[in-house]
């Protein structure tokens, strides 16, 4: 803590080696830190709310792997469950009783998931959900919202949020044929959605969106928006898919859908479900999910789908949540302390940036005015100010996401002391950003 983050020889050396051996130096583009002008520190260890880089610097972590870390890094309940499962054999290619039990637990938590399919990543969950929707409705078109991110499959990647934001994506690697089957409308904009549905609703299989968006910073649905989307989908016979890959186990035990009181036809889960291991799921109405092979004609499968190690990690996460009294209220109280503290710091410095908080997600953008409602508004944020703030926070031992399109995640391991240290750092870091 408090050690100056100056680019050092070891970090530079590893970045050079990364550039020579990994495409673009990374396995996922956001890690190159393009918006902040430097790659995310090479991290080698995590424990609770803390991570350590390759030269032993310690950071309070709010990157949290972009969402999966919910209990804290290296939670022993998860690592022990994983070790036990590894000892019994990590993969069989046959159905395991614990897979069945996990599906039962998810059905008990998410009313919208009458039948479940386990997969390995959020990308796969969203791909599967889309294919099921097309198979069920026998329609081809999909509607998405600008700034939501549903993984890197062809149909989901252009006009999306997070680090996928690229004007070139539509012409590089994604065919015009695929792009032509997808309508991208602004989030929080019912008239635009209705316009598309009126014109092409009878050819549209599904609307997919994040009920609370975590990929254009943190963007909340306006009052009545999600209920309005639900109503329009019903009217046009279109399935509604909630991508709760981020919000699933973060917003509460039943996801954002339970908080906002809107039930989708299909739900996608991922990230926090695996406590750091790659497991995801999609599930929905029984009649819809029954189109999946072998019950129906729609294929989706995977060598590692439902593998015992990741399933054991998911059970350990669910067990830990169930065993902790007031798990979600306590988590939210920590996040609220951070959000309120940041709002105070910003107000004291006369910076008119609204702080947004939903469950254990906290964010502010360097953009004055009320919280952003759309990707167009999110793009107005001052990128240079964020880069200066990010680097100054790193100098003070606080790791933030290297892009303003991402957000801060709080875990059950973050303490009030962590939050207070973070607020002290923010107070100083904002002087750099303001300059
Ligand atoms: C809302 C949402 N959906 C889907 C995905 C894709 O998940 P994965 O990276 O596990 O493929 C992400 C990843 O950031 C996400 O934020």
């Amino acid at each position: 803590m408090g050690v100056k983050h100056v680019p050092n020889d070891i970090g530079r050396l590893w970045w050079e080696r990364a550039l020579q051996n990994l495409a673009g130096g990374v396995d996922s583009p956001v890690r190159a830190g393009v918006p902040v002008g430097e790659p995310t520190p090479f991290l080698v260890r995590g424990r609770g709310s803390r991570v350590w880089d390759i030269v032993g610097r310690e950071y309070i972590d709010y990157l949290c792997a972009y969402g999966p870390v919910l209990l804290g890094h290296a939670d022993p309940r998860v690592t022990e469950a994983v070790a036990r499962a590894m000892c019994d054999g990590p993969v069989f290619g046959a159905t395991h009783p614990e897979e069945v039990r996990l599906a039962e637990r998810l059905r008990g938590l998410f009313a919208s998931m009458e039948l479940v399919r386990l997969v390995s990543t959020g990308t796969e969950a969203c791909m599967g959900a889309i294919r099921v929707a097309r198979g069920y409705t026998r329609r081809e078109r999909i509607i998405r919202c600008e700034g939501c991110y549903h993984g890197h499959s062809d149909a989901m990647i252009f006009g999306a949020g997070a680090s996928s934001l690229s004007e070139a994506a539509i012409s590089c690697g994604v065919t015009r044929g695929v792009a032509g089957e997808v309508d991208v409308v602004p989030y929080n904009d019912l008239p635009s959605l209705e316009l598309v549905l009126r014109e092409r609703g009878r050819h549209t299989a599904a609307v997919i969106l994040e009920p609370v968006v975590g990929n254009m910073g943190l963007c909340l649905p306006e009052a009545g928006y999600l209920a309005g989307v639900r109503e329009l989908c019903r009217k046009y016979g279109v399935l509604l898919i909630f991508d709760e890959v981020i919000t699933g186990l973060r917003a509460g035990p039943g996801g954002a859908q339970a908080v906002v009181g809107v039930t989708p036809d299909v739900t996608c889960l991922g990230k926090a479900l695996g406590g750091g291991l790659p497991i995801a799921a999609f599930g929905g109405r029984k009649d819809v999910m029954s189109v999946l092979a072998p019950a129906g004609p729609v294929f989706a499968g995977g060598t590692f789908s439902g593998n015992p190690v990741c399933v054991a990690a998911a059970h350990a996460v669910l067990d830990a949540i169930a065993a902790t009294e007031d798990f979600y209220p306590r988590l939210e109280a920590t996040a609220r302390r951070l959000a309120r503290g940041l709002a105070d710091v910003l107000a004291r410095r006369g910076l008119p940036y609204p702080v947004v908080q939903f469950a254990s997600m906290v964010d502010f953008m360097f953009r004055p005015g009320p919280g952003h409602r759309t990707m167009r508004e999110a793009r107005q944020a001052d990128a240079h100010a964020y880069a200066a703030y990010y680097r100054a926070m790193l100098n003070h031992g606080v790791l933030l996401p290297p892009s303003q399109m991402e957000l801060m995640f709080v875990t059950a391991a973050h303490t009030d002391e962590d939050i207070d240290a973070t607020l002290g750092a923010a107070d100083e870091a904002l002087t750099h950003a303001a300059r």
Side-chain angles (χ1 to χ4, degrees), residues 66 121-124 126 149-152 210 215 243 245-246 271:
Y66 302 93
T121 66
T123 297
E124 268 185 274
C126 295
Y149 178 73
H150 308 296
H152 62 92
E210 293 174 72
N215 284 294
D243 177 351
V245 166
I246 289 181
K271 300 220 184 216

Side-chain angles (χ1 to χ4, degrees), residues 20-43:
Q20 281 162 20
N21 293 286
L22 296 169
V26 290
D27 287 319
S28 198
V30 69
R31 300 174 197 170
V34 173
V36 294
E38 59 183 84
T40 305
F42 281 81
L43 299 178

Side-chain angles (χ1 to χ4, degrees), residues 16 73 97 108 121 135 139 150 185 260 279 299 316 331 356 392 425 433:
E16 281 306 315
H73 288 279
T121 66
R139 299 171 178 179
H150 308 296
V185 299
V260 299
I279 184 166
F299 189 85
L331 190 57
V356 189

Side-chain angles (χ1 to χ4, degrees), residues 106-131:
L106 293 178
R107 288 182 58 211
L109 293 171
F110 290 80
S112 62
M113 298 176 90
E114 291 176 359
L115 278 177
V116 174
R117 174 76 46 107
L118 299 177
V119 291
S120 299
T121 66
T123 297
E124 268 185 274
C126 295
M127 269 169 50
I130 295 288
R131 189 171 297 159

Side-chain angles (χ1 to χ4, degrees), residues 114-119 124-138 266-267 281-302 305:
E114 291 176 359
L115 278 177
V116 174
R117 174 76 46 107
L118 299 177
V119 291
E124 268 185 274
C126 295
M127 269 169 50
I130 295 288
R131 189 171 297 159
V132 159
R134 284 175 164 154
Y136 178 79
T137 58
R138 303 285 168 146
V266 181
T267 298
F282 63 102
R285 275 171 30 202
K286 197 170 183 177
D287 57 333
V288 174
M289 291 295 286
S290 296
V291 301
L292 273 174
V298 175
F299 189 85
S305 294

Side-chain angles (χ1 to χ4, degrees), residues 71-344:
L71 303 178
H73 288 279
D75 186 283
R77 293 163 293 189
V78 177
T79 47
E80 281 159 24
V82 167
R84 275 196 303 274
M86 278 300 289
C87 291
D88 285 337
V91 67
F92 300 117
T95 305
H96 192 287
E98 290 302 296
E99 272 173 83
V100 180
R101 210 168 63 79
L102 182 57
E104 281 170 357
R105 291 182 90 172
L106 293 178
R107 288 182 58 211
L109 293 171
F110 290 80
S112 62
M113 298 176 90
E114 291 176 359
L115 278 177
V116 174
R117 174 76 46 107
L118 299 177
V119 291
S120 299
T121 66
T123 297
E124 268 185 274
C126 295
M127 269 169 50
I130 295 288
R131 189 171 297 159
V132 159
R134 284 175 164 154
Y136 178 79
T137 58
R138 303 285 168 146
R139 299 171 178 179
E140 292 191 353
R141 300 196 64 81
I142 300 294
I143 300 177
R144 291 200 278 111
C145 287
E146 191 187 18
C148 289
Y149 178 73
H150 308 296
H152 62 92
S153 68
D154 284 2
M156 297 292 109
I157 199 61
F158 52 91
S163 56
S164 73
L165 196 60
S166 155
E167 306 301 338
I170 196 158
S171 56
C172 292
V174 175
T175 63
R176 283 190 182 78
V178 169
E181 291 162 352
V182 180
D183 287 296
V184 182
V185 299
Y187 187 74
N188 269 328
D189 185 344
L190 285 174
S192 291
L193 176 62
E194 177 143 37
L195 196 68
V196 174
L197 283 170
R198 220 181 293 135
E199 279 182 15
R200 297 189 276 279
R202 67 201 168 85
H203 302 296
T204 300
V207 172
I208 181 169
L209 50 74
E210 293 174 72
V212 172
V213 189
N215 284 294
M216 44 171 154
L218 179 55
C219 182
L220 304 182
E222 292 190 317
Y225 173 65
L226 294 171
V229 174
R230 177 66 279 181
E231 201 39 53
L232 284 173
C233 286
R234 247 186 225 117
K235 181 170 164 189
Y236 289 91
V238 169
L239 295 181
L240 176 58
I241 303 171
F242 273 3
D243 177 351
E244 295 228 39
V245 166
I246 289 181
T247 50
L249 288 181
R250 212 164 248 293
Q257 55 197 258
V259 178
V260 299
V262 175
T263 306
D265 300 298
V266 181
T267 298
C268 302
L269 303 176
K271 300 220 184 216
L273 176 63
L277 270 79
I279 184 166
F282 63 102
R285 275 171 30 202
K286 197 170 183 177
D287 57 333
V288 174
M289 291 295 286
S290 296
V291 301
L292 273 174
V298 175
F299 189 85
T303 304
F304 295 108
S305 294
N307 78 80
V309 176
C310 297
V311 167
H315 279 300
V317 170
L318 294 176
D319 288 345
I321 292 171
T324 311
E325 207 183 329
D326 295 337
F327 180 86
Y328 286 105
R330 279 212 254 164
L331 190 57
E332 177 142 15
T334 312
R336 213 175 302 122
R337 184 184 184 95
L338 176 62
R340 287 192 180 146
L342 285 172
D344 286 347

